Structure formats: structure tokens, C-alpha cells
Amino acid sequence: MLYVSWNCPSDMASAHHDRAQVDIYEKLPVPFGLVRFGVAPDHPEVKNVINTFTQTARSDRCSYYGNVAVGRDVTVRELQQAYHAVVLSYGAEDSRALGIPGENLAGVYSARAFVGWYNGLPENRHLKPDLSCETALVLGHGNVALDVARILLSPLDLLRKTDITASSLAALACSRVKRVWLVGRRGPLQVSFTNKELREMINLPGARPVLDPADFTGLANAVKDAPRPRKRLTELMIKTALEQPAQETAAAREWGLRFQRSPQEVLPTADGTRARGVRVALTLGGSGDSAQAVPTGEVEELEGGLVLSSIGYRSLPLDPAVPFDPRHGVIPNSSGRVRGAPGLYCSGWVKRGPTGVIMSTMNDSFDTAQAVLEDLQAGVLDVAASREGFGAVGSILRSRGVRPVSFSDWEKIDAAEVARGKAAGKPREKIVDPEEMLQLIGH
């Protein structure tokens, strides 16, 4: 029997080996990681991947153990002693800092925390963002930036039909935000959001796009030979910018893209307690994806009492026994094999950095699983030596007072959430307090 421990909240993938037993450890009581806590509530179709994960978790060769924090409740070395292979796939649970004065002022939040707040991530349930201003600034030009802008401007009737948390829906109902500017350091050819996300934003009911046609001068020719996704994305921005005069101007809300502006300082209010805007340096850049933003010497002040930083995520070290590259925020590896640690593997954002969508992360986990199989066939993994798997880990957890949550336990939580949601006319009402989750299943 090959025992594999998969510390993996969002990539529930079992290696194709007819004797493999995969145990999944998750820090929270509930599974699905990024799919549950990262995907926007108005994108239910993306969450359908949960069905595949559930099929895997219900396999008699796969077991789920939630409420177990690897690195705290059980060490990686203890897992290595209990399993033939250990795969670390814990993602990127921190945000990149802006590194500018004023980013700790009230009214400044990471987009990661904001997304976690409206998606019910327990650590962000007490965020209480101040939505009393009319203008919000989102620093970044990626899909997450568009997500938070869309949630801020979406009609409440649309959000009420989603699994957005009750507390965030109540806060958004009182929001005064009616204008969102998405600010990026580089130009239109370097935006990292996708065509689908942009089109959804353009078609958002009750919100008017405001794009400056001058930002796109000459770009139609510049992208003629560009890859098709980049060409289509640029053409959509150009079309939207040129059609603005004919659009309905009485929209209650509006949003726009601000290019070639690099944040220099979050500006405080007169009393120094809150954010009132952001000072940006105007930049110049080249035409390629890797073009750098070069300051011109000019600065500009953008007004906005809500500032959301969406400039990327970063992974954190998990355990002293695991090598970690703090500069790149990844576990040093070769095709998923952790360098200098036979039998230890990694997958997802902690393997290659915080880029890509759920499908690319799933494919990456398949590649790591293939590396495990190759090492098994090559004799790198000594499966002749017996390993106890959860039999050993369970004893360690009991000695430390840790009670794991099984997949059947999760299904009880799931049923309760769905029932609460049905009563409110929603697909589910997420439970955001881990203690309430544990009480529900008798822990």
C-alpha cells in the first residue's frame, strides 16, 4: 500500500495508482480552499469543480481530515514518518505589501482580506470595511481587482441570489460607494485580467464604464500580431472606450481603468487617521508583457476613501523542516519535487507562485502526482517499508487534543449551510465561525 499525505485544500487529486491511499489534511474544518473562499459569489459555475473534488473525497482510498494545521498540530517530519510521500499544496495565504507610506491607515485593505470577508473566510469575518465613501481605489489590474470592483458596484438583487455572507451583504446594502477606479502601474497591453472578467464588468447592470480613448491610441495596430487572447482583450477595451459617448450617462455607478500610475503614498485625512486618496507617479512603459513601469517625474493625486490593494499574493513558510525561498515565495522544487527532501513534494501556488486560475492549478497538481508515480517506479520511494498513515498521525493528534473533522462531518456542515441558504432564498448561507462549525458536528 502506498500512503500519500496531501496537504491540499483545493487540489483534491488522487494519484493514478491502484494501491494508493491518499489522506488530505486541511487547516479549516471545511474543505475546498480557494474554490470556497476565493471564487466570487456571483460565479457559481466556477464552483462546480467542487463536485469533482467531492467524488474524490468519497473514494474508499481517500480520507479527509479537516481542523488539522500542518506545521502546528502535526509537523511535516511527523507526516513524513507516517507516509511514503507528502505533498504540500497550501497555496498563498498572505498578500504582497505595497511598501509605501500610509498603507496601514484606516480604510486601506488587501483585496485578499476583502474577498475573504465577503466569501466567509473565518480569519476575515471581523473585517468590517468602511464603505462610507463615494470613491474606491483598487490598486491592481488582475481578475481579483475586477472581482472586488464588481462586488462593490453590483446591484443588491444580484448578490442576494448568491452565497455571499449575510454580514457582508448587509454592509454592502449600506454602502455609499458609487465609483471605482482600478489603478495599474503599466499600460493596457500589460493588464492581467481576462476577457471574460472584463466583459462581465462592462455589462454590469447600473454601472457605466469610463475609459479614456487616448489611453488606447495606436494599440489596434500594436496587437495585430499579438496572441489571440491579448488581441481580443485589447480590442474589447478599445471598443468600450470608443462607444462611451453613445452610452447611457445616467448610470448610478461607474468604474474605470487608470493606467501607468504607480502608487507612491496613501494620503491621510487632515486628522491623520484615515485614507483620503493615493499619490501616484505617472509612468512610461514598453509594449511587451514584461515591460517595466518607469516614473516620468510627474505625480498625481487620486481621491478615494476606500483603498484596496490587489497587487498579488504570496506563500509563507509552513514548517522549519521545509525549504522555502522567501524572495520568490515558493518551496524550491524541481517538477514538484522539493529540493533536498526525497519523498516531499509541492503543488500549486506554493510550487510555482501565485499565478493562474483554478484549472491551471489543477493541472499543476496532476503534474506533481505524476512526479510521485515516477519516483515510485524509479524506486525513490521505499514502499517496502510499512507506513501507518493516519493510524500514526491520529495518535499524535489525540495526544495534542486535536479532533479532526471527517468528510462526513463536513457534509453535516454543508447540509446546515444549504438549509440556512434555502430559508433566505440563497444557494447556501456559509457558517463563518469555526467554533460554530465544530459545535454543529458535536466536537
Side-chain angles (χ1 to χ4, degrees), residues 127-141:
L127 189 69
K128 293 183 173 57
D130 186 344
L131 306 178
S132 62
C133 63
E134 292 191 353
T135 302
L137 302 174
V138 180
L139 307 181
H141 278 169

Side-chain angles (χ1 to χ4, degrees), residues 385-397:
S386 177
R387 301 292 169 90
E388 293 184 59
F390 184 74
V393 175
S395 297
I396 293 171
L397 296 177

Side-chain angles (χ1 to χ4, degrees), residues 250-302:
R253 300 179 176 188
E254 63 183 13
W255 65 275
L257 301 170
R258 295 290 180 266
F259 300 105
Q260 295 179 317
R261 286 163 169 80
S262 180
Q264 300 295 297
E265 179 184 1
V266 178
L267 301 171
T269 52
D271 62 7
T273 61
R274 300 191 44 76
R276 66 171 177 84
V278 177
R279 178 179 291 117
V280 296
L282 274 60
T283 65
L284 293 173
S287 59
D289 286 345
S290 60
Q292 298 297 308
V294 180
T296 63
E298 295 183 66
V299 296
E300 178 180 279
E301 291 188 3
L302 301 177

Side-chain angles (χ1 to χ4, degrees), residues 141-164:
H141 278 169
N143 278 343
V144 174
L146 283 185
D147 275 350
V148 298
R150 193 178 66 254
I151 295 299
L152 282 169
L153 298 178
S154 285
L156 286 175
D157 285 346
L158 292 182
L159 295 179
R160 285 193 182 102
K161 300 172 184 176
T162 73
D163 67 357
I164 192 170

Side-chain angles (χ1 to χ4, degrees), residues 12 21-22 24 32 50-64 407-408 410-412 414-415:
M12 291 187 175
Q21 177 71 42
V22 179
I24 300 168
F32 308 134
I50 284 176
N51 298 331
T52 304
F53 295 162
T54 298
Q55 290 176 8
T56 301
R58 286 175 175 164
S59 165
D60 58 6
R61 293 193 292 121
C62 181
S63 297
Y64 170 81
F407 201 76
S408 60
W410 147 246
E411 290 178 318
K412 295 175 186 175
D414 178 44

Side-chain angles (χ1 to χ4, degrees), residues 1 7 24 61 67 87 95 117 148 171 201 207 209 230 280 312 369 387-388 404 413:
M1 180 73 75
N7 169 232
I24 300 168
R61 293 193 292 121
N67 198 40
V87 182
S95 302
W117 168 70
V148 298
M201 194 73 197
R230 175 64 65 184
V280 296
R387 301 292 169 90
E388 293 184 59
I413 299 171

